[in-house]
């Protein structure tokens, strides 16, 4: 049996009268997040590029977080995850979050190693 889709976003904060209005509302939200990402990428504020958090620039962390927010919201709204059971939602949402965190961990350690190799100079092996 088909059921009606919920015509609200942000946990009921914004309610719409039709699916068309809801799609436009979601488009506006995703566009605003993208505009923030592009503006930060173009301007590159010195406060965000010269400060570091966990071995990476704060600006890069902001890009990663905003990208995950967009991906989560697309899955939540367009894939109708909010209408599914909580166990399926957790399986779909938390698995990639842990995998992305693991990937970031690996990339940070590898990047740190490569940075030290280039900054300290190459070591030749004497055979």
């Amino acid at each position: 049996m088909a059921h009606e889709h919920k015509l609200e976003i942000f946990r009921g904060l914004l309610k719409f009268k039709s699916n068309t209005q809801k799609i436009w509302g979601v488009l506006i939200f995703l566009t605003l997040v993208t505009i923030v990402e592009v503006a930060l990428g173009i301007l590159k504020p010195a406060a965000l590029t010269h400060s570091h958090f966990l071995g990476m620039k704060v600006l890069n962390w902001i890009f990663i977080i905003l990208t995950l927010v967009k991906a989560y919201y697309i899955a939540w709204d367009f894939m109708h995850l909010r209408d599914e059971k909580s166990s399926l939602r957790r399986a779909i949402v938390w698995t990639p979050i842990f995998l992305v965190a693991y990937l970031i961990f690996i990339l940070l350690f590898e990047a740190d190693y490569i940075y030290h190799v280039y900054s300290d100079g190459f070591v030749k092996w004497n055979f």
Side-chain angles (χ1 to χ4, degrees), residues 43-119:
L43 298 176
K44 295 182 183 170
L48 299 176
T49 56
H50 296 305
S51 56
H52 290 77
F53 178 72
L54 293 177
M56 196 165 55
K57 293 179 183 177
V58 174
L59 185 63
N60 290 344
W61 282 113
I62 292 173
F63 286 146
I64 290 170
I65 291 169
L66 289 177
T67 302
L68 289 175
V69 165
K70 286 195 308 187
Y72 176 79
Y73 191 75
I74 288 170
W76 183 259
D77 210 0
F78 290 124
M79 295 174 62
H80 307 288
L81 284 181
R82 69 178 130 61
D83 299 328
E84 299 295 338
K85 293 185 177 185
S86 63
S87 58
L88 179 63
R89 285 193 312 237
R90 287 185 189 119
I92 292 173
V93 171
W94 285 105
T95 303
I97 287 176
F98 287 126
L99 291 175
V100 167
Y102 180 62
L103 176 66
I104 290 171
F105 174 76
I106 291 172
L107 289 175
L108 286 175
F109 271 93
E110 290 296 321
D112 187 52
Y113 168 75
I114 291 173
Y115 171 76
H116 286 298
V117 166
Y118 280 117
S119 66

Coordinates of all heavy atoms in Angstrom, one line a residue, residues 43-119:
L43 N 37.0 32.7 -1.1 CA 37.5 33.7 -0.2 C 38.7 33.2 0.6 O 39.6 33.9 0.9 CB 36.4 34.2 0.7 CG 35.3 35.0 0.0 CD1 34.2 35.3 1.0 CD2 35.8 36.2 -0.7
K44 N 38.6 31.9 1.0 CA 39.6 31.3 1.9 C 40.1 32.2 3.0 O 41.2 32.8 3.0 CB 40.8 30.9 1.1 CG 40.5 29.8 0.1 CD 41.8 29.4 -0.7 CE 41.4 28.3 -1.7 NZ 42.4 28.0 -2.6
P45 N 39.2 32.4 4.0 CA 39.5 33.4 5.1 C 40.8 32.9 5.8 O 41.0 31.7 6.1 CB 38.3 33.3 6.0 CG 37.2 32.7 5.2 CD 37.9 31.8 4.2
A46 N 41.6 33.9 6.1 CA 42.9 33.6 6.8 C 42.7 32.9 8.1 O 43.5 32.1 8.5 CB 43.7 34.9 7.0
A47 N 41.6 33.3 8.8 CA 41.4 32.7 10.2 C 41.1 31.2 10.0 O 41.4 30.4 10.9 CB 40.2 33.3 10.8
L48 N 40.6 30.7 8.9 CA 40.3 29.3 8.7 C 41.4 28.6 8.0 O 41.6 27.3 8.2 CB 39.0 29.1 7.9 CG 37.8 29.7 8.5 CD1 36.6 29.6 7.6 CD2 37.5 29.1 9.8
T49 N 42.3 29.3 7.2 CA 43.3 28.6 6.6 C 44.6 28.5 7.4 O 45.5 27.6 7.1 CB 43.7 29.3 5.2 OG1 43.9 30.6 5.4 CG2 42.5 29.1 4.2
H50 N 44.8 29.4 8.4 CA 46.0 29.4 9.2 C 45.8 28.6 10.5 O 46.8 28.5 11.2 CB 46.5 30.8 9.4 CG 46.9 31.5 8.1 ND1 47.8 31.0 7.2 CD2 46.5 32.6 7.6 CE1 48.0 31.8 6.2 NE2 47.2 32.8 6.4
S51 N 44.6 28.3 10.8 CA 44.4 27.5 12.1 C 44.2 26.1 11.7 O 43.6 25.7 10.7 CB 43.2 28.1 12.8 OG 42.1 28.1 12.0
H52 N 44.7 25.2 12.6 CA 44.6 23.8 12.4 C 43.8 23.1 13.5 O 43.8 23.5 14.7 CB 46.0 23.2 12.3 CG 46.7 23.5 11.1 ND1 47.3 24.8 10.9 CD2 47.0 22.8 9.9 CE1 47.9 24.8 9.7 NE2 47.7 23.7 9.1
F53 N 43.1 22.0 13.2 CA 42.4 21.2 14.1 C 42.6 19.7 13.7 O 42.3 19.3 12.6 CB 40.9 21.5 14.1 CG 40.1 20.7 15.1 CD1 40.2 20.9 16.4 CD2 39.2 19.8 14.6 CE1 39.5 20.2 17.3 CE2 38.5 19.0 15.4 CZ 38.6 19.2 16.8
L54 N 43.2 18.9 14.6 CA 43.5 17.5 14.4 C 44.4 17.3 13.1 O 44.1 16.5 12.3 CB 42.2 16.7 14.3 CG 41.4 16.6 15.6 CD1 40.1 15.8 15.3 CD2 42.2 15.9 16.7
G55 N 45.3 18.2 13.0 CA 46.3 18.0 11.9 C 45.8 18.5 10.5 O 46.5 18.2 9.5
M56 N 44.7 19.2 10.5 CA 44.2 19.6 9.2 C 43.6 21.0 9.3 O 43.1 21.4 10.4 CB 43.1 18.6 8.7 CG 42.8 18.8 7.2 SD 41.9 17.4 6.5 CE 40.5 17.3 7.6
K57 N 43.6 21.8 8.3 CA 43.1 23.2 8.3 C 41.6 23.1 8.7 O 40.9 22.2 8.3 CB 43.3 23.9 7.0 CG 44.8 24.1 6.7 CD 44.9 24.8 5.3 CE 46.4 25.0 5.0 NZ 46.6 25.5 3.7
V58 N 41.2 24.1 9.4 CA 39.8 24.2 9.8 C 38.9 24.4 8.6 O 37.8 23.8 8.6 CB 39.6 25.4 10.8 CG1 38.1 25.6 11.1 CG2 40.4 25.2 12.1
L59 N 39.4 25.0 7.6 CA 38.6 25.2 6.3 C 38.3 23.8 5.7 O 37.1 23.6 5.2 CB 39.3 26.1 5.3 CG 38.5 26.4 4.1 CD1 37.3 27.2 4.4 CD2 39.4 27.2 3.1
N60 N 39.3 22.9 5.7 CA 39.0 21.6 5.2 C 38.0 20.8 6.0 O 37.2 20.1 5.4 CB 40.3 20.8 5.1 CG 41.2 21.4 4.0 OD1 40.8 22.1 3.2 ND2 42.5 21.0 4.1
W61 N 38.0 21.0 7.3 CA 37.0 20.3 8.2 C 35.6 20.9 7.9 O 34.7 20.1 7.8 CB 37.4 20.6 9.7 CG 38.4 19.7 10.2 CD1 39.7 20.1 10.6 CD2 38.4 18.3 10.3 NE1 40.4 19.0 11.0 CE2 39.6 17.9 10.8 CE3 37.4 17.3 10.1 CZ2 40.0 16.5 11.1 CZ3 37.7 16.0 10.3 CH2 39.0 15.6 10.8
I62 N 35.5 22.2 7.6 CA 34.2 22.8 7.3 C 33.7 22.2 6.0 O 32.5 21.8 5.8 CB 34.3 24.3 7.2 CG1 34.6 24.9 8.6 CG2 33.1 24.9 6.6 CD1 34.8 26.3 8.7
F63 N 34.6 22.0 5.0 CA 34.2 21.4 3.7 C 33.7 20.0 3.9 O 32.7 19.6 3.3 CB 35.3 21.4 2.7 CG 35.6 22.8 2.1 CD1 36.9 23.1 1.8 CD2 34.6 23.7 1.9 CE1 37.2 24.4 1.2 CE2 34.9 25.0 1.4 CZ 36.2 25.3 1.0
I64 N 34.4 19.2 4.7 CA 34.0 17.8 4.9 C 32.7 17.8 5.6 O 31.8 17.0 5.2 CB 35.1 17.1 5.7 CG1 36.4 16.9 4.9 CG2 34.6 15.8 6.3 CD1 37.6 16.4 5.6
I65 N 32.5 18.6 6.6 CA 31.2 18.6 7.4 C 30.1 19.0 6.5 O 29.0 18.4 6.5 CB 31.4 19.4 8.7 CG1 32.3 18.8 9.6 CG2 30.0 19.7 9.3 CD1 32.7 19.7 10.8
L66 N 30.2 20.1 5.7 CA 29.1 20.5 4.9 C 28.8 19.5 3.8 O 27.6 19.3 3.5 CB 29.5 21.9 4.3 CG 29.5 23.1 5.2 CD1 29.9 24.4 4.5 CD2 28.1 23.3 5.8
T67 N 29.8 18.8 3.3 CA 29.6 17.8 2.3 C 28.8 16.6 2.9 O 27.8 16.1 2.3 CB 30.9 17.3 1.7 OG1 31.6 18.4 1.1 CG2 30.7 16.2 0.6
L68 N 29.1 16.2 4.1 CA 28.4 15.2 4.8 C 27.0 15.6 5.1 O 26.0 14.8 5.0 CB 29.1 14.7 6.1 CG 30.4 14.0 5.8 CD1 31.1 13.7 7.2 CD2 30.2 12.7 5.1
V69 N 26.8 16.9 5.5 CA 25.4 17.4 5.7 C 24.6 17.3 4.5 O 23.4 16.8 4.5 CB 25.5 18.8 6.3 CG1 24.1 19.5 6.2 CG2 26.0 18.8 7.7
K70 N 25.1 17.7 3.4 CA 24.4 17.6 2.1 C 24.1 16.1 1.7 O 22.9 15.8 1.3 CB 25.1 18.3 1.0 CG 25.1 19.8 1.0 CD 25.5 20.5 -0.2 CE 26.8 20.0 -0.8 NZ 27.3 20.8 -1.9
A71 N 25.1 15.3 1.9 CA 24.8 13.9 1.5 C 23.8 13.2 2.4 O 22.9 12.5 2.0 CB 26.1 13.1 1.6
Y72 N 23.9 13.5 3.7 CA 22.9 13.0 4.7 C 21.5 13.5 4.4 O 20.5 12.7 4.4 CB 23.3 13.4 6.1 CG 22.3 13.0 7.1 CD1 22.2 11.7 7.6 CD2 21.4 13.9 7.7 CE1 21.3 11.3 8.6 CE2 20.5 13.5 8.6 CZ 20.4 12.2 9.1 OH 19.5 11.8 10.0
Y73 N 21.4 14.8 4.1 CA 20.1 15.4 3.8 C 19.5 14.8 2.5 O 18.3 14.6 2.4 CB 20.1 16.9 3.8 CG 18.7 17.5 3.8 CD1 18.0 17.4 5.0 CD2 18.1 17.9 2.7 CE1 16.7 17.9 5.0 CE2 16.9 18.4 2.7 CZ 16.2 18.4 3.9 OH 14.9 18.9 3.9
I74 N 20.3 14.6 1.5 CA 19.8 14.0 0.2 C 19.3 12.6 0.5 O 18.2 12.3 0.0 CB 20.9 14.1 -0.8 CG1 21.1 15.5 -1.3 CG2 20.5 13.2 -2.0 CD1 22.3 15.7 -2.2
A75 N 20.0 11.9 1.2 CA 19.5 10.5 1.5 C 18.3 10.5 2.4 O 17.4 9.8 2.2 CB 20.7 9.7 2.2
W76 N 18.3 11.4 3.4 CA 17.1 11.5 4.3 C 15.9 11.9 3.6 O 14.8 11.3 3.8 CB 17.5 12.5 5.4 CG 16.4 12.7 6.5 CD1 15.5 13.6 6.6 CD2 16.2 11.8 7.6 NE1 14.7 13.4 7.6 CE2 15.1 12.3 8.3 CE3 16.8 10.6 8.0 CZ2 14.7 11.7 9.4 CZ3 16.4 10.0 9.1 CH2 15.3 10.6 9.8
D77 N 16.0 12.9 2.7 CA 14.7 13.4 2.1 C 14.4 12.7 0.8 O 13.3 12.2 0.6 CB 14.9 14.9 1.8 CG 13.6 15.6 1.9 OD1 12.6 14.9 2.1 OD2 13.6 16.8 1.8
F78 N 15.3 12.6 -0.2 CA 15.0 12.1 -1.5 C 15.0 10.5 -1.5 O 14.3 10.0 -2.3 CB 16.0 12.6 -2.5 CG 15.9 14.0 -2.8 CD1 16.9 14.9 -2.7 CD2 14.7 14.5 -3.2 CE1 16.8 16.2 -2.9 CE2 14.5 15.9 -3.5 CZ 15.6 16.7 -3.4
M79 N 15.7 9.9 -0.6 CA 15.6 8.4 -0.5 C 14.6 8.0 0.5 O 14.4 6.8 0.8 CB 17.0 7.8 -0.2 CG 18.0 8.1 -1.3 SD 19.6 7.5 -0.9 CE 19.4 5.8 -0.7
H80 N 13.9 9.0 1.1 CA 12.8 8.7 2.1 C 13.2 7.9 3.3 O 12.5 7.1 3.7 CB 11.6 8.1 1.4 CG 11.1 8.8 0.1 ND1 10.5 10.0 0.2 CD2 11.3 8.6 -1.2 CE1 10.2 10.5 -1.0 NE2 10.7 9.6 -1.9
L81 N 14.4 8.1 3.7 CA 14.9 7.4 4.9 C 14.1 7.8 6.2 O 14.0 7.0 7.1 CB 16.4 7.7 5.2 CG 17.3 6.9 4.2 CD1 18.7 7.3 4.6 CD2 17.1 5.5 4.3
R82 N 13.5 9.0 6.2 CA 12.8 9.4 7.4 C 11.5 8.5 7.6 O 11.0 8.4 8.7 CB 12.5 10.8 7.4 CG 11.4 11.2 6.3 CD 11.1 12.6 6.4 NE 11.2 13.3 5.1 CZ 10.5 13.0 4.0 NH1 9.6 12.1 4.1 NH2 10.6 13.7 2.9
D83 N 11.1 7.9 6.5 CA 9.9 7.0 6.6 C 10.2 5.6 7.0 O 9.3 4.8 7.1 CB 9.1 7.1 5.3 CG 8.6 8.5 5.0 OD1 8.4 9.3 5.9 OD2 8.6 8.8 3.8
E84 N 11.5 5.2 7.0 CA 11.8 3.9 7.3 C 12.0 3.6 8.8 O 12.0 4.5 9.6 CB 13.2 3.5 6.6 CG 13.1 3.7 5.1 CD 12.2 2.7 4.4 OE1 11.9 1.6 5.0 OE2 11.8 3.0 3.3
K85 N 12.2 2.3 9.1 CA 12.4 2.0 10.5 C 13.8 2.5 11.0 O 14.7 2.6 10.2 CB 12.3 0.5 10.7 CG 10.9 -0.1 10.5 CD 10.9 -1.6 10.8 CE 9.4 -2.0 10.6 NZ 9.3 -3.4 11.0
S86 N 13.9 2.7 12.3 CA 15.1 3.3 12.8 C 16.3 2.4 12.6 O 17.4 2.9 12.4 CB 14.9 3.6 14.3 OG 14.7 2.5 15.0
S87 N 16.1 1.1 12.6 CA 17.3 0.2 12.5 C 17.8 0.3 11.0 O 19.1 0.3 10.9 CB 16.9 -1.3 12.8 OG 15.8 -1.7 12.0
L88 N 17.0 0.4 10.0 CA 17.5 0.5 8.7 C 18.1 1.9 8.5 O 19.2 2.0 7.8 CB 16.3 0.4 7.7 CG 16.7 0.5 6.2 CD1 17.7 -0.6 5.8 CD2 15.4 0.5 5.3
R89 N 17.5 2.9 9.1 CA 18.1 4.3 9.0 C 19.5 4.3 9.6 O 20.5 4.8 9.0 CB 17.3 5.3 9.7 CG 16.0 5.7 8.9 CD 15.4 6.9 9.5 NE 15.3 6.8 11.0 CZ 14.2 7.0 11.7 NH1 13.0 7.2 11.0 NH2 14.1 6.9 13.0
R90 N 19.7 3.6 10.7 CA 21.0 3.6 11.4 C 22.0 2.8 10.5 O 23.2 3.2 10.4 CB 20.9 3.0 12.8 CG 20.2 3.9 13.7 CD 20.2 3.3 15.1 NE 19.4 4.1 16.0 CZ 18.3 3.7 16.6 NH1 18.0 2.4 16.5 NH2 17.7 4.5 17.4
A91 N 21.6 1.7 10.0 CA 22.5 0.9 9.1 C 22.9 1.7 7.9 O 24.1 1.6 7.5 CB 21.8 -0.4 8.7
I92 N 22.1 2.4 7.3 CA 22.4 3.2 6.1 C 23.2 4.4 6.4 O 24.2 4.8 5.7 CB 21.1 3.5 5.3 CG1 20.5 2.3 4.7 CG2 21.4 4.5 4.2 CD1 19.2 2.5 4.1
V93 N 22.9 5.1 7.5 CA 23.5 6.4 7.8 C 24.9 6.2 8.6 O 25.9 6.8 8.2 CB 22.6 7.3 8.6 CG1 23.3 8.5 9.1 CG2 21.4 7.7 7.7
W94 N 24.9 5.4 9.6 CA 26.0 5.3 10.4 C 27.2 4.5 9.8 O 28.4 4.8 10.1 CB 25.7 4.6 11.8 CG 25.0 5.6 12.7 CD1 23.6 5.6 12.9 CD2 25.5 6.7 13.3 NE1 23.3 6.6 13.8 CE2 24.4 7.4 14.0 CE3 26.8 7.3 13.4 CZ2 24.6 8.5 14.8 CZ3 26.9 8.4 14.2 CH2 25.9 9.0 14.8
T95 N 26.9 3.6 8.9 CA 28.0 2.8 8.3 C 28.9 3.8 7.5 O 30.1 3.8 7.6 CB 27.4 1.7 7.4 OG1 26.6 0.9 8.2 CG2 28.6 0.9 6.7
P96 N 28.4 4.6 6.6 CA 29.3 5.5 5.8 C 29.9 6.5 6.7 O 31.1 6.9 6.5 CB 28.3 6.2 4.8 CG 27.2 5.4 4.7 CD 27.0 4.6 6.0
I97 N 29.3 7.0 7.8 CA 29.9 7.9 8.7 C 31.2 7.3 9.3 O 32.2 7.9 9.4 CB 28.9 8.4 9.8 CG1 27.9 9.3 9.1 CG2 29.6 9.1 10.9 CD1 26.8 9.8 10.0
F98 N 31.1 6.1 9.8 CA 32.3 5.4 10.4 C 33.3 5.2 9.3 O 34.5 5.3 9.6 CB 31.9 4.1 11.0 CG 31.2 4.3 12.3 CD1 29.9 3.7 12.6 CD2 31.7 5.1 13.3 CE1 29.3 3.9 13.8 CE2 31.0 5.3 14.5 CZ 29.8 4.7 14.8
L99 N 32.9 4.8 8.1 CA 33.9 4.6 7.0 C 34.6 5.9 6.6 O 35.8 5.9 6.4 CB 33.2 3.9 5.8 CG 32.8 2.5 6.0 CD1 32.0 2.0 4.8 CD2 34.0 1.6 6.3
V100 N 33.8 7.0 6.6 CA 34.5 8.3 6.2 C 35.4 8.7 7.4 O 36.5 9.2 7.1 CB 33.4 9.4 6.0 CG1 33.9 10.8 6.0 CG2 32.6 9.1 4.7
A101 N 35.0 8.5 8.6 CA 35.9 8.8 9.7 C 37.2 8.0 9.6 O 38.3 8.5 9.9 CB 35.2 8.6 11.1
Y102 N 37.1 6.7 9.3 CA 38.3 5.9 9.2 C 39.1 6.3 8.0 O 40.4 6.4 8.1 CB 37.8 4.4 9.0 CG 38.9 3.4 8.8 CD1 39.9 3.2 9.8 CD2 39.1 2.7 7.6 CE1 40.9 2.3 9.7 CE2 40.1 1.8 7.5 CZ 41.0 1.6 8.5 OH 42.0 0.7 8.4
L103 N 38.5 6.7 6.9 CA 39.2 7.2 5.7 C 40.0 8.5 6.1 O 41.2 8.7 5.7 CB 38.3 7.5 4.6 CG 38.9 8.1 3.3 CD1 39.9 7.1 2.7 CD2 37.8 8.4 2.3
I104 N 39.3 9.4 6.8 CA 40.0 10.7 7.2 C 41.2 10.4 8.1 O 42.3 10.9 7.9 CB 39.0 11.6 7.9 CG1 38.0 12.1 6.9 CG2 39.7 12.8 8.6 CD1 36.8 12.9 7.5
F105 N 41.0 9.4 9.0 CA 42.1 9.0 9.9 C 43.3 8.5 9.1 O 44.5 8.9 9.3 CB 41.6 7.9 10.9 CG 42.7 7.3 11.7 CD1 43.2 8.0 12.8 CD2 43.2 6.1 11.4 CE1 44.1 7.4 13.6 CE2 44.1 5.5 12.2 CZ 44.6 6.2 13.3
I106 N 43.1 7.6 8.1 CA 44.1 7.1 7.3 C 44.8 8.2 6.5 O 46.0 8.2 6.4 CB 43.6 5.9 6.4 CG1 43.2 4.7 7.3 CG2 44.6 5.6 5.3 CD1 42.5 3.6 6.5
L107 N 44.0 9.0 5.9 CA 44.6 10.1 5.0 C 45.4 11.0 5.8 O 46.5 11.5 5.4 CB 43.4 10.8 4.3 CG 42.8 10.1 3.2 CD1 41.6 10.9 2.6 CD2 43.7 9.7 2.1
L108 N 45.0 11.4 7.1 CA 45.8 12.3 7.9 C 47.1 11.7 8.2 O 48.2 12.4 8.2 CB 45.0 12.7 9.1 CG 43.9 13.6 8.9 CD1 43.1 13.8 10.2 CD2 44.4 14.9 8.4
F109 N 47.2 10.4 8.6 CA 48.4 9.8 8.9 C 49.3 9.7 7.7 O 50.6 9.9 7.8 CB 48.2 8.4 9.6 CG 48.1 8.5 11.1 CD1 46.8 8.7 11.6 CD2 49.2 8.5 11.9 CE1 46.6 8.8 13.0 CE2 49.0 8.6 13.3 CZ 47.8 8.8 13.8
E110 N 48.8 9.3 6.6 CA 49.6 9.2 5.4 C 50.1 10.6 4.9 O 51.3 10.7 4.5 CB 48.8 8.5 4.3 CG 48.6 7.0 4.5 CD 49.8 6.2 4.5 OE1 50.8 6.5 3.8 OE2 49.9 5.3 5.4
A111 N 49.3 11.6 5.0 CA 49.7 12.9 4.6 C 50.8 13.4 5.6 O 51.7 14.1 5.1 CB 48.5 13.8 4.6
D112 N 50.7 13.1 6.8 CA 51.7 13.5 7.8 C 53.0 12.9 7.5 O 54.1 13.5 7.5 CB 51.3 13.2 9.2 CG 52.2 13.8 10.3 OD1 52.5 15.0 10.2 OD2 52.7 13.0 11.1
Y113 N 53.0 11.6 7.1 CA 54.3 10.9 6.7 C 54.9 11.5 5.5 O 56.1 11.8 5.5 CB 54.0 9.4 6.5 CG 55.1 8.7 5.8 CD1 56.2 8.4 6.5 CD2 55.1 8.4 4.5 CE1 57.3 7.7 5.9 CE2 56.1 7.7 3.9 CZ 57.2 7.4 4.6 OH 58.3 6.8 4.0
I114 N 54.1 11.8 4.5 CA 54.6 12.4 3.2 C 55.1 13.8 3.5 O 56.2 14.2 3.0 CB 53.5 12.4 2.2 CG1 53.2 10.9 1.7 CG2 53.9 13.2 1.0 CD1 52.0 10.8 0.8
Y115 N 54.4 14.5 4.4 CA 54.9 15.9 4.7 C 56.3 15.8 5.3 O 57.2 16.6 5.0 CB 53.9 16.6 5.7 CG 54.5 17.8 6.2 CD1 54.5 19.0 5.5 CD2 55.0 17.9 7.5 CE1 55.0 20.2 6.0 CE2 55.5 19.1 8.1 CZ 55.5 20.2 7.3 OH 56.0 21.3 7.8
H116 N 56.5 14.9 6.3 CA 57.8 14.7 6.9 C 58.9 14.3 6.0 O 60.1 14.7 6.1 CB 57.7 13.8 8.1 CG 57.0 14.5 9.3 ND1 57.5 15.6 9.9 CD2 55.9 14.2 9.9 CE1 56.7 16.0 10.9 NE2 55.7 15.1 10.9
V117 N 58.5 13.4 5.0 CA 59.5 13.0 4.0 C 60.0 14.1 3.2 O 61.2 14.3 3.0 CB 59.0 11.8 3.2 CG1 59.8 11.6 1.9 CG2 58.8 10.6 4.0
Y118 N 59.1 15.0 2.7 CA 59.4 16.1 1.9 C 60.1 17.2 2.7 O 61.0 17.9 2.2 CB 58.2 16.7 1.2 CG 57.9 15.9 0.0 CD1 56.6 15.3 -0.1 CD2 58.7 15.8 -1.1 CE1 56.3 14.5 -1.3 CE2 58.4 15.1 -2.2 CZ 57.2 14.4 -2.3 OH 56.9 13.7 -3.4
S119 N 59.7 17.4 4.0 CA 60.3 18.5 4.7 C 61.7 18.1 5.3 O 62.5 19.0 5.4 CB 59.4 18.9 5.9 OG 59.3 17.9 6.8

